Amino acid sequence: MTFETIQYEESDGYAVLTLNRPERLNAFTGVMHAEIREALDKVAANKANRAMILTGAGRGFCAGQDLNDRVMGDDDAPPPDLGHTLETLYNPLVRTIRALEMPVISAVNGVAAGAGANLALGGDLVMAARSAKFIQAFCRIGLVPDGGGTWLLPNLAGRAKAMAMAMLGEPVSAEEAERIGLIWKVVEDDDLMTEARKLAARLATQPTAGLTAIKQLITAAGSNSLDEQLDLERDTQQRLGRSHDYREGVRAFLGKREPVFKGE
Ligand code: T3D
């Protein structure tokens, strides 16, 4: 299957989705949203996929909404309905990635701005090239961080940093992003995709159902009390305790051999 605005491949137990409008720093258009949606359906439909990498082609990861689609007419022209855009495009995208039953690696190859920054930060394991930067560009055009930004920023980096990033819209370097807990780690530019692929291939051999449950529980912790979280851990562990991969993990440990997980 060929796409116009993204690249999609599957190999070695993982999928790679590359945003591919490098001349516009991979900014989102309606076509790109539709193609990402189609690719994510493919990722989920193929049980052989047990991890996914999200990255960008060229020198940017993603510059957010393509503002060429938002050219303002005269003041009498009806304004765009951005609520509808979020409801139908950005919010489903964020929810779909969060709900994917496998770890999602963001491999941030360059500048990530606006909704592009929050798409990157919404990944489960976020790696960034040393030259990458994160910009909450929304305030520069009178908007609020979307794509989950107002939730992600305070949860990841705390209120003080969230406020400064969202209100000032200044670039945050990959190193600073790692330091403040916004991302997992920085890697050298030339090593980014090698490292991301190595990680995805490793994750693809792991207990995928367990990793998916970790993703769900850590997400739920953002709004749950400790009591609620303890209940959720009990119920999840009860379910996982009946799984193939739990049995295999214990047998392999006791048998002093490498486990062979099925992801179930
Ligand atoms: O509208 C809705 O649906 C609501 C949802 C909104 C979600 C959002 O994401 S709102 C935020 C939108 N994004 C931005 O405001 C970021 C705009 N871009 C920039 O500020 C800068 O381009 C960057 C800081 C990201 C990178 O700067 P730099 O100097 O490295 O690159 P550049 O020269 O500005 O960009 C390179 C080209 O990409 C350039 O085109 P040109 O001049 O070579 O023909 C530039 O216009 C284009 N480009 C970059 N970002 C966008 C874009 N074109 C359209 N839309 C963009 N967002």
Side-chain angles (χ1 to χ4, degrees):
M1 180 175 298
T2 52
F3 293 102
E4 188 188 318
T5 63
I6 64 169
Q7 291 165 356
Y8 179 77
E9 61 165 274
E10 294 173 355
S11 66
D12 299 329
Y14 64 89
V16 184
L17 197 168
T18 306
L19 308 176
N20 191 28
R21 301 184 66 235
E23 70 291 352
R24 287 277 171 268
L25 301 180
N26 304 319
F28 283 105
T29 59
V31 172
M32 195 161 99
H33 272 290
E35 292 191 339
I36 294 173
R37 207 161 42 231
E38 199 175 329
L40 290 175
D41 286 345
K42 275 171 73 75
V43 176
N46 184 352
K47 288 286 170 218
N49 291 325
R50 290 168 61 185
M52 184 183 98
I53 299 174
L54 185 58
T55 191
R59 73 177 178 88
F61 175 79
C62 175
Q65 171 63 38
D66 189 320
L67 297 176
N68 292 308
D69 291 353
R70 297 286 179 269
V71 174
M72 299 294 152
D74 57 44
D75 285 353
D76 296 333
D81 182 347
L82 302 188
H84 180 73
T85 312
L86 294 195
E87 183 62 22
T88 56
L89 300 178
Y90 287 97
N91 291 357
L93 171 62
V94 173
R95 289 186 172 118
T96 301
I97 289 177
R98 219 6 104 91
L100 261 190
E101 295 187 351
M102 66 189 73
V104 175
I105 300 165
S106 297
V108 188
N109 52 302
V111 65
N118 296 331
L119 175 71
L121 298 178
D124 301 314
L125 293 162
V126 186
M127 309 169 79
R130 194 168 294 282
S131 65
K133 51 192 174 183
F134 298 84
I135 311 176
Q136 296 294 324
F138 307 89
C139 59
R140 300 180 184 177
I141 54 171
L143 299 180
V144 298
D146 60 26
T150 58
W151 186 88
L152 287 165
L153 296 175
N155 272 296
L156 293 170
R159 177 182 160 89
K161 285 286 180 189
M163 283 293 189
M165 287 184 72
M167 287 193 172
L168 304 178
E170 288 171 356
V172 171
S173 69
E175 283 168 32
E176 170 76 348
E178 180 188 296
R179 197 183 62 75
I180 64 176
L182 204 57
I183 66 168
W184 172 40
K185 72 169 177 179
V186 178
V187 299
E188 298 310 321
D189 288 15
D190 288 346
D191 297 338
L192 180 71
M193 284 315 291
T194 309
E195 291 282 322
R197 284 178 180 279
K198 211 190 299 174
L199 178 63
R202 173 181 148 196
L203 289 167
T205 65
Q206 297 304 299
T208 311
L211 299 186
T212 300
I214 290 173
K215 168 172 175 165
Q216 291 163 346
L217 264 64
I218 289 184
T219 299
S223 53
N224 274 353
S225 66
L226 174 60
D227 265 341
E228 289 167 326
Q229 204 65 16
L230 288 171
D231 287 349
L232 197 53
E233 289 174 5
R234 176 201 60 209
D235 295 345
T236 306
Q237 218 72 303
Q238 185 171 56
R239 177 170 57 78
L240 292 173
R242 298 181 186 124
S243 69
H244 166 275
D245 285 349
Y246 170 64
R247 276 196 305 278
E248 170 61 8
V250 174
R251 281 177 185 152
F253 175 79
L254 296 177
K256 299 192 186 304
R257 61 171 174 83
E258 284 302 309
V260 182
F261 294 119
K262 286 187 183 170
E264 296 161 1

